[in-house]
Amino acid sequence: MSNITRGLFLFLVLAVLSVPVAEGFDVEAGKTREIRVEVKGEVLNPGVYTLPPYSNLADLLELIQLSDQADVSNLNDNLILKNNDVIIIPDRIEENGKVSINTGDLRQLDSIPGIGPVTAQSIIDYRNTNGLFQSVEELTRVKGIGEKTLEKIREYISL
């Protein structure tokens, strides 16, 4: 073996030995012992959480404390999490800017143009008494909301 070949070989060996082993990685088994997932959004304790490999979103939701504004209804509990995932817990106001008449709180419902605090509370009272709205049109059963009001607010609301 020439001096150049020996020098290159020695360099490669030293380079491989000097690479730090990633924390949470089991070199002998060749797999991750844990994953780290960052949680943001409507949670009381945002941050990075450590979970076993192949944990799903339901496992993570058991560890975090959701805020009163959190809406996890559209999240897939069976989603398998990966190391370095970032999970953002949305609030009840949907990304399209619409307020859910089934999950919106007084503040959110009151933010709808044409709905004041009294009507917003009436929507909440109706929903608490009769259950979730099955259609947007069912809003006309709420005191203070007629067909004209429904047409004015339709673009701002969702189920």
Side-chain angles (χ1 to χ4, degrees), residues 1-12:
M1 201 188 283
S2 73
N3 285 342
I4 294 176
T5 307
R6 250 183 276 156
L8 184 58
F9 177 75
L10 183 58
F11 173 77
L12 290 173

Side-chain angles (χ1 to χ4, degrees), residues 37-49 60 64-66 70 75 85-91:
V37 177
E38 184 176 1
V39 180
K40 298 179 178 183
E42 292 299 323
V43 291
L44 299 179
N45 46 357
V48 177
Y49 290 82
L60 178 65
I64 64 177
Q65 202 171 3
L66 300 172
L75 299 178
D85 273 349
V86 177
I87 303 297
I88 301 172
I89 305 297
D91 66 9

Side-chain angles (χ1 to χ4, degrees), residues 39-154:
V39 180
K40 298 179 178 183
E42 292 299 323
V43 291
L44 299 179
N45 46 357
V48 177
Y49 290 82
T50 302
L51 298 155
Y54 306 107
S55 295
N56 61 21
L57 187 57
D59 299 326
L60 178 65
L61 291 175
E62 289 178 10
L63 296 176
I64 64 177
Q65 202 171 3
L66 300 172
S67 78
D68 292 339
Q69 303 303 314
D71 181 9
V72 295
S73 62
N74 290 323
L75 299 178
N76 178 1
D77 287 346
N78 295 318
L79 175 72
I80 301 297
L81 301 170
K82 301 181 301 297
N83 197 34
N84 297 320
D85 273 349
V86 177
I87 303 297
I88 301 172
I89 305 297
D91 66 9
R92 290 187 185 138
I93 296 178
E94 298 175 0
E95 287 186 29
N96 61 9
K98 293 186 176 187
V99 176
S100 169
I101 57 175
N102 281 327
T103 61
D105 63 14
L106 183 65
R107 178 186 59 81
Q108 292 166 327
L109 293 167
D110 184 32
S111 74
I112 300 168
I115 300 292
V118 172
T119 305
Q121 186 60 54
S122 294
I123 292 170
I124 293 169
D125 293 342
Y126 180 89
R127 162 176 98 197
N128 289 339
T129 302
N130 301 292
L132 298 178
F133 293 94
Q134 300 303 306
S135 69
V136 171
E137 289 72 23
E138 193 178 342
L139 267 178
T140 58
R141 296 182 186 166
V142 174
K143 183 180 178 184
I145 300 179
E147 290 293 333
K148 288 183 181 179
T149 302
L150 178 60
E151 288 312 308
K152 287 181 191 174
I153 66 172
R154 187 179 292 275

